[in-house]
Amino acid sequence: MSVYKVIELIGTSEKSWEDAAQQAVAKARSSLRELRIVEVSKLDLKLDEKGNIAAYRARLNISFKYDN
């Protein structure tokens, strides 16, 4: 039997939502073991003071095997 934990991360990128998601997964991979599922729960944009796109943001739910 296995138990999994789910955490929420937000990745950001000046390029794209895909890159923002990849940034979050890469960071999770560097500190968590046995990542299982990544669900994109929300995509949004950060705007600068002129209303131009400053950053793409991807909110992810990431599950990984829980060791106790």
Coordinates of all heavy atoms in Angstrom, one line a residue:
M1 N 0.8 -1.2 0.0 CA 0.0 0.0 0.0 C 0.9 1.2 0.0 O 1.9 1.3 0.7 CB -0.9 0.0 1.2 CG -1.9 1.1 1.2 SD -3.1 1.0 2.5 CE -2.5 2.3 3.6
S2 N 0.5 2.3 -0.7 CA 1.2 3.5 -0.8 C 0.3 4.7 -0.4 O -0.9 4.6 -0.5 CB 1.7 3.8 -2.2 OG 2.6 2.7 -2.6
V3 N 1.0 5.7 0.1 CA 0.3 6.9 0.5 C 1.0 8.1 -0.3 O 2.2 8.1 -0.4 CB 0.4 7.2 2.0 CG1 -0.2 8.5 2.4 CG2 -0.3 6.1 2.8
Y4 N 0.2 9.0 -0.8 CA 0.7 10.1 -1.5 C 0.3 11.4 -0.9 O -0.8 11.5 -0.4 CB 0.3 10.0 -3.0 CG 0.7 8.8 -3.7 CD1 0.0 7.6 -3.7 CD2 2.0 8.8 -4.3 CE1 0.4 6.5 -4.3 CE2 2.5 7.6 -4.9 CZ 1.7 6.5 -4.9 OH 2.1 5.3 -5.4
K5 N 1.2 12.4 -1.0 CA 0.9 13.7 -0.5 C 0.8 14.7 -1.7 O 1.5 14.5 -2.7 CB 2.0 14.2 0.4 CG 1.8 15.6 1.0 CD 2.9 15.9 2.0 CE 2.7 17.2 2.7 NZ 1.8 17.2 3.8
V6 N -0.1 15.7 -1.6 CA -0.3 16.6 -2.7 C 0.1 18.0 -2.2 O -0.4 18.4 -1.1 CB -1.7 16.6 -3.2 CG1 -1.9 17.7 -4.3 CG2 -2.1 15.3 -3.7
I7 N 0.9 18.7 -2.9 CA 1.3 20.1 -2.6 C 0.9 21.0 -3.8 O 0.8 20.5 -4.9 CB 2.8 20.2 -2.2 CG1 3.7 19.9 -3.4 CG2 3.1 19.4 -1.0 CD1 5.1 20.2 -3.2
E8 N 0.8 22.3 -3.5 CA 0.5 23.2 -4.5 C 1.8 24.1 -4.7 O 2.3 24.6 -3.8 CB -0.7 24.1 -4.1 CG -1.1 25.1 -5.2 CD -2.3 25.9 -4.8 OE1 -2.1 26.8 -3.9 OE2 -3.4 25.7 -5.3
L9 N 2.2 24.3 -6.0 CA 3.3 25.1 -6.3 C 2.8 26.1 -7.5 O 2.0 25.7 -8.3 CB 4.5 24.3 -6.8 CG 5.2 23.4 -5.8 CD1 6.3 22.6 -6.5 CD2 5.7 24.2 -4.7
I10 N 3.4 27.3 -7.5 CA 3.2 28.2 -8.6 C 4.5 28.5 -9.3 O 5.5 28.9 -8.7 CB 2.6 29.5 -8.1 CG1 1.2 29.2 -7.4 CG2 2.4 30.5 -9.2 CD1 0.7 30.4 -6.7
G11 N 4.6 28.2 -10.6 CA 5.7 28.4 -11.4 C 5.5 29.7 -12.2 O 4.4 30.0 -12.6
T12 N 6.6 30.4 -12.4 CA 6.5 31.7 -13.2 C 7.5 31.7 -14.3 O 8.6 31.0 -14.2 CB 6.7 32.9 -12.3 OG1 8.0 32.9 -11.8 CG2 5.7 33.0 -11.2
S13 N 7.2 32.4 -15.4 CA 8.0 32.5 -16.5 C 7.7 33.7 -17.3 O 6.6 34.1 -17.4 CB 7.9 31.2 -17.4 OG 8.5 31.4 -18.7
E14 N 8.7 34.3 -18.0 CA 8.5 35.4 -18.9 C 8.2 34.9 -20.3 O 7.8 35.7 -21.1 CB 9.7 36.3 -18.9 CG 10.0 37.0 -17.6 CD 11.2 37.9 -17.6 OE1 11.9 37.9 -18.6 OE2 11.5 38.5 -16.6
K15 N 8.3 33.6 -20.5 CA 8.1 33.0 -21.9 C 6.7 32.5 -22.1 O 6.1 32.9 -23.1 CB 9.1 31.9 -22.1 CG 10.5 32.2 -22.1 CD 11.3 31.0 -22.4 CE 12.7 31.0 -21.8 NZ 13.4 29.8 -22.0
S16 N 6.2 31.6 -21.2 CA 5.0 30.9 -21.5 C 4.4 30.2 -20.3 O 5.2 30.0 -19.3 CB 5.1 29.9 -22.6 OG 6.0 28.8 -22.2
W17 N 3.2 29.7 -20.4 CA 2.6 28.9 -19.3 C 3.3 27.6 -19.2 O 3.5 27.1 -18.1 CB 1.1 28.7 -19.5 CG 0.3 29.9 -19.1 CD1 0.3 30.6 -17.9 CD2 -0.7 30.6 -19.9 NE1 -0.6 31.6 -17.9 CE2 -1.2 31.7 -19.1 CE3 -1.1 30.5 -21.2 CZ2 -2.1 32.5 -19.6 CZ3 -2.0 31.4 -21.7 CH2 -2.5 32.4 -20.9
E18 N 3.6 27.0 -20.3 CA 4.3 25.7 -20.4 C 5.7 25.8 -19.6 O 6.0 25.0 -18.8 CB 4.5 25.2 -21.8 CG 5.2 23.9 -21.9 CD 5.4 23.4 -23.3 OE1 4.8 24.0 -24.2 OE2 6.2 22.4 -23.5
D19 N 6.4 26.9 -19.9 CA 7.7 27.1 -19.2 C 7.5 27.3 -17.7 O 8.3 26.8 -16.9 CB 8.4 28.3 -19.9 CG 9.9 28.4 -19.3 OD1 10.6 27.4 -19.4 OD2 10.2 29.4 -18.8
A20 N 6.4 28.0 -17.4 CA 6.1 28.2 -15.9 C 5.9 26.9 -15.2 O 6.4 26.7 -14.1 CB 4.9 29.2 -15.8
A21 N 5.1 26.0 -15.9 CA 4.9 24.7 -15.3 C 6.1 23.9 -15.2 O 6.4 23.2 -14.2 CB 3.8 24.0 -16.1
Q22 N 7.0 23.9 -16.2 CA 8.2 23.2 -16.2 C 9.2 23.7 -15.1 O 9.9 22.9 -14.5 CB 8.9 23.3 -17.6 CG 8.2 22.5 -18.7 CD 8.9 22.7 -20.0 OE1 9.7 23.6 -20.2 NE2 8.5 21.9 -21.0
Q23 N 9.2 25.0 -14.9 CA 10.0 25.6 -13.8 C 9.5 25.0 -12.4 O 10.4 24.7 -11.6 CB 9.9 27.1 -13.8 CG 10.4 27.8 -15.0 CD 11.9 27.6 -15.1 OE1 12.7 27.6 -14.1 NE2 12.4 27.6 -16.3
A24 N 8.2 24.9 -12.2 CA 7.7 24.4 -10.9 C 8.0 22.9 -10.8 O 8.5 22.5 -9.7 CB 6.2 24.6 -10.8
V25 N 7.9 22.2 -11.8 CA 8.2 20.7 -11.8 C 9.7 20.5 -11.5 O 10.1 19.7 -10.7 CB 7.7 20.0 -13.0 CG1 8.2 18.6 -13.1 CG2 6.2 20.0 -13.1
A26 N 10.5 21.3 -12.2 CA 12.0 21.1 -12.0 C 12.3 21.4 -10.6 O 13.2 20.7 -10.0 CB 12.7 22.1 -13.0
K27 N 11.7 22.4 -10.0 CA 12.0 22.8 -8.6 C 11.6 21.7 -7.6 O 12.3 21.3 -6.7 CB 11.4 24.1 -8.2 CG 11.8 24.6 -6.9 CD 13.3 25.0 -6.9 CE 13.7 25.7 -5.7 NZ 15.2 26.0 -5.7
A28 N 10.4 21.1 -7.9 CA 9.8 20.0 -7.1 C 10.7 18.8 -7.2 O 11.0 18.1 -6.2 CB 8.4 19.7 -7.5
R29 N 11.2 18.5 -8.4 CA 12.0 17.3 -8.6 C 13.4 17.4 -7.9 O 13.9 16.4 -7.5 CB 12.3 17.2 -10.1 CG 13.0 15.9 -10.5 CD 13.2 15.7 -12.0 NE 12.3 16.4 -12.9 CZ 12.6 17.3 -13.7 NH1 13.8 17.8 -13.9 NH2 11.6 17.8 -14.5
S30 N 13.8 18.7 -7.7 CA 15.1 18.8 -7.0 C 15.0 18.6 -5.5 O 16.1 18.3 -4.9 CB 15.7 20.3 -7.2 OG 14.9 21.2 -6.5
S31 N 13.8 18.6 -4.9 CA 13.7 18.4 -3.5 C 12.8 17.3 -3.0 O 12.8 16.9 -1.9 CB 13.3 19.7 -2.8 OG 12.0 20.1 -3.2
L32 N 12.0 16.8 -4.0 CA 11.0 15.7 -3.6 C 11.4 14.4 -4.4 O 11.9 14.5 -5.5 CB 9.6 16.1 -4.0 CG 9.1 17.4 -3.3 CD1 7.8 17.8 -3.9 CD2 9.0 17.1 -1.8
R33 N 11.0 13.3 -3.8 CA 11.3 12.0 -4.5 C 10.0 11.4 -5.0 O 8.9 11.6 -4.4 CB 12.0 11.1 -3.6 CG 13.4 11.5 -3.2 CD 14.1 10.5 -2.3 NE 13.4 10.4 -1.0 CZ 13.1 9.2 -0.5 NH1 13.4 8.1 -1.0 NH2 12.5 9.2 0.7
E34 N 10.0 10.6 -6.0 CA 8.9 9.8 -6.5 C 7.7 10.7 -6.8 O 6.6 10.4 -6.3 CB 8.6 8.7 -5.5 CG 9.7 7.7 -5.4 CD 9.3 6.4 -4.7 OE1 8.3 5.8 -5.1 OE2 10.0 6.0 -3.7
L35 N 7.9 11.7 -7.6 CA 6.8 12.5 -8.1 C 5.9 11.6 -9.0 O 6.3 10.8 -9.7 CB 7.3 13.7 -9.0 CG 8.1 14.7 -8.3 CD1 8.5 15.8 -9.3 CD2 7.5 15.3 -7.1
R36 N 4.6 11.8 -8.8 CA 3.6 10.9 -9.5 C 2.8 11.7 -10.6 O 2.8 11.4 -11.7 CB 2.7 10.2 -8.5 CG 3.4 9.3 -7.6 CD 4.0 8.2 -8.3 NE 4.8 7.4 -7.4 CZ 5.2 6.2 -7.6 NH1 4.8 5.6 -8.8 NH2 5.9 5.5 -6.8
I37 N 2.0 12.6 -10.1 CA 1.0 13.3 -10.9 C 1.1 14.8 -10.8 O 1.3 15.3 -9.7 CB -0.4 12.9 -10.6 CG1 -0.6 11.4 -10.7 CG2 -1.5 13.6 -11.4 CD1 -0.6 10.8 -12.1
V38 N 1.0 15.5 -11.9 CA 1.0 17.0 -11.8 C -0.3 17.4 -12.5 O -0.6 17.0 -13.6 CB 2.2 17.6 -12.5 CG1 2.1 19.1 -12.5 CG2 3.5 17.2 -11.9
E39 N -1.1 18.2 -11.8 CA -2.3 18.7 -12.3 C -2.2 20.2 -12.4 O -1.9 20.9 -11.4 CB -3.5 18.3 -11.4 CG -4.8 18.9 -11.8 CD -5.9 18.7 -10.8 OE1 -5.6 18.7 -9.5 OE2 -7.0 18.5 -11.1
V40 N -2.5 20.8 -13.6 CA -2.5 22.3 -13.7 C -3.9 22.7 -13.2 O -4.9 22.4 -13.8 CB -2.2 22.7 -15.2 CG1 -2.3 24.2 -15.3 CG2 -0.9 22.2 -15.6
S41 N -3.9 23.5 -12.2 CA -5.2 23.9 -11.6 C -5.6 25.3 -12.0 O -6.8 25.6 -12.0 CB -5.2 23.8 -10.1 OG -4.2 24.6 -9.5
K42 N -4.6 26.1 -12.4 CA -5.0 27.5 -12.8 C -3.8 28.1 -13.6 O -2.6 27.9 -13.3 CB -5.2 28.3 -11.5 CG -5.7 29.7 -11.8 CD -6.0 30.4 -10.4 CE -6.5 31.8 -10.6 NZ -6.8 32.5 -9.4
L43 N -4.2 28.9 -14.6 CA -3.2 29.6 -15.4 C -3.6 31.1 -15.2 O -4.8 31.5 -15.4 CB -3.2 29.2 -16.8 CG -2.9 27.8 -17.2 CD1 -3.1 27.5 -18.6 CD2 -1.5 27.5 -16.8
D44 N -2.6 32.0 -15.0 CA -2.9 33.4 -15.0 C -1.7 34.2 -15.4 O -0.7 33.6 -15.7 CB -3.4 33.9 -13.6 CG -2.4 33.7 -12.5 OD1 -1.2 33.7 -12.7 OD2 -2.9 33.5 -11.3
L45 N -1.9 35.5 -15.6 CA -0.9 36.4 -16.0 C -0.6 37.5 -15.0 O -1.5 38.0 -14.4 CB -1.3 37.1 -17.3 CG -1.6 36.2 -18.5 CD1 -2.3 37.0 -19.6 CD2 -0.3 35.6 -19.1
K46 N 0.6 37.9 -14.9 CA 1.0 39.0 -14.1 C 1.2 40.2 -15.1 O 1.9 40.0 -16.1 CB 2.3 38.8 -13.3 CG 2.7 39.9 -12.5 CD 3.9 39.6 -11.7 CE 4.4 40.9 -10.9 NZ 5.6 40.7 -10.2
L47 N 0.6 41.3 -14.9 CA 0.7 42.4 -15.8 C 1.6 43.5 -15.2 O 1.7 43.7 -13.9 CB -0.6 43.0 -16.1 CG -1.7 42.1 -16.7 CD1 -3.0 42.7 -16.8 CD2 -1.2 41.5 -18.0
D48 N 2.3 44.3 -16.0 CA 3.1 45.4 -15.5 C 2.2 46.6 -15.4 O 1.0 46.6 -15.6 CB 4.3 45.7 -16.4 CG 3.9 46.1 -17.8 OD1 2.8 46.5 -18.1 OD2 4.8 46.1 -18.7
E49 N 2.8 47.7 -15.0 CA 2.0 49.0 -14.8 C 1.3 49.5 -16.0 O 0.3 50.3 -15.9 CB 2.8 50.0 -14.1 CG 4.0 50.5 -14.9 CD 5.2 49.6 -14.9 OE1 5.3 48.7 -14.0 OE2 6.1 49.8 -15.7
K50 N 1.7 49.1 -17.2 CA 1.1 49.5 -18.5 C 0.1 48.5 -19.0 O -0.5 48.7 -20.0 CB 2.2 49.8 -19.5 CG 3.1 50.9 -19.2 CD 4.1 51.1 -20.2 CE 5.1 52.3 -19.9 NZ 6.1 52.5 -20.9
G51 N -0.1 47.4 -18.3 CA -1.0 46.4 -18.7 C -0.5 45.4 -19.7 O -1.2 44.6 -20.2
N52 N 0.8 45.4 -19.8 CA 1.5 44.4 -20.7 C 1.8 43.1 -19.9 O 2.0 43.2 -18.7 CB 2.8 45.0 -21.3 CG 2.6 46.1 -22.2 OD1 1.7 46.1 -23.0 ND2 3.4 47.2 -22.0
I53 N 1.9 42.0 -20.5 CA 2.2 40.8 -19.8 C 3.7 40.8 -19.3 O 4.6 41.0 -20.0 CB 2.1 39.6 -20.8 CG1 0.6 39.4 -21.2 CG2 2.5 38.3 -20.1 CD1 0.3 38.4 -22.2
A54 N 3.8 40.7 -18.0 CA 5.1 40.6 -17.3 C 5.5 39.2 -17.0 O 6.7 38.9 -17.1 CB 5.1 41.5 -16.1
A55 N 4.6 38.3 -16.8 CA 4.9 36.9 -16.4 C 3.7 36.0 -16.6 O 2.6 36.5 -16.4 CB 5.4 36.8 -15.0
Y56 N 4.0 34.8 -17.0 CA 3.0 33.8 -17.0 C 3.1 33.0 -15.8 O 4.2 32.7 -15.3 CB 3.2 32.8 -18.2 CG 3.1 33.5 -19.6 CD1 4.2 34.2 -20.1 CD2 1.9 33.4 -20.3 CE1 4.1 34.8 -21.4 CE2 1.8 34.0 -21.5 CZ 2.9 34.7 -22.0 OH 2.8 35.4 -23.3
R57 N 2.0 32.6 -15.2 CA 2.0 31.8 -13.9 C 1.1 30.6 -14.1 O 0.0 30.6 -14.6 CB 1.5 32.7 -12.8 CG 2.3 33.9 -12.5 CD 2.0 34.7 -11.3 NE 0.6 34.5 -10.8 CZ 0.3 34.8 -9.6 NH1 1.2 35.3 -8.7 NH2 -1.0 34.6 -9.2
A58 N 1.7 29.4 -13.6 CA 1.0 28.2 -13.6 C 0.9 27.6 -12.2 O 1.9 27.5 -11.6 CB 1.7 27.2 -14.6
R59 N -0.3 27.4 -11.7 CA -0.5 26.8 -10.4 C -0.7 25.3 -10.6 O -1.5 24.9 -11.4 CB -1.8 27.4 -9.7 CG -1.9 27.0 -8.3 CD -3.1 27.7 -7.7 NE -2.9 29.1 -7.7 CZ -3.4 30.0 -6.9 NH1 -4.3 29.6 -6.0 NH2 -3.2 31.2 -7.0
L60 N 0.1 24.5 -9.9 CA 0.1 23.1 -10.0 C -0.1 22.4 -8.7 O 0.3 22.8 -7.7 CB 1.5 22.6 -10.5 CG 2.1 23.3 -11.8 CD1 3.5 22.8 -12.0 CD2 1.2 23.1 -13.0
N61 N -0.9 21.3 -8.8 CA -1.0 20.3 -7.7 C -0.1 19.2 -8.0 O -0.2 18.5 -9.1 CB -2.4 19.9 -7.5 CG -3.3 21.0 -7.0 OD1 -2.9 21.8 -6.2 ND2 -4.5 21.0 -7.6
I62 N 0.9 18.9 -7.2 CA 1.9 17.9 -7.5 C 1.8 16.8 -6.4 O 1.8 17.1 -5.2 CB 3.3 18.5 -7.5 CG1 3.4 19.5 -8.6 CG2 4.4 17.4 -7.6 CD1 4.7 20.2 -8.7
S63 N 1.7 15.5 -6.8 CA 1.6 14.5 -5.8 C 2.9 13.7 -5.9 O 3.6 13.5 -6.9 CB 0.4 13.5 -6.1 OG 0.6 12.8 -7.3
F64 N 3.3 13.2 -4.7 CA 4.5 12.4 -4.6 C 4.3 11.4 -3.5 O 3.5 11.5 -2.6 CB 5.8 13.3 -4.3 CG 5.6 14.1 -3.0 CD1 6.2 13.7 -1.8 CD2 5.0 15.3 -3.0 CE1 6.0 14.5 -0.7 CE2 4.9 16.1 -1.9 CZ 5.4 15.7 -0.7
K65 N 5.1 10.3 -3.5 CA 5.0 9.2 -2.6 C 5.4 9.7 -1.2 O 6.4 10.4 -1.0 CB 5.8 8.0 -3.0 CG 5.5 6.8 -2.2 CD 6.2 5.6 -2.8 CE 5.8 4.4 -2.1 NZ 6.5 3.2 -2.7
Y66 N 4.6 9.5 -0.2 CA 4.8 9.9 1.2 C 5.5 8.9 2.0 O 5.0 7.7 2.1 CB 3.5 10.3 1.8 CG 3.6 10.9 3.2 CD1 4.0 12.3 3.3 CD2 3.3 10.2 4.3 CE1 4.1 12.8 4.5 CE2 3.4 10.8 5.6 CZ 3.8 12.1 5.7 OH 3.9 12.7 6.9
D67 N 6.7 9.2 2.5 CA 7.5 8.3 3.4 C 7.3 8.8 4.8 O 7.5 9.9 5.1 CB 9.0 8.3 3.0 CG 9.2 7.7 1.7 OD1 8.5 6.8 1.2 OD2 10.2 8.2 1.0
N68 N 6.9 7.9 5.7 CA 6.8 8.3 7.1 C 7.8 7.7 7.9 O 8.7 7.0 7.6 CB 5.4 8.0 7.6 CG 4.9 6.6 7.3 OD1 5.4 5.9 6.4 ND2 3.9 6.2 7.9

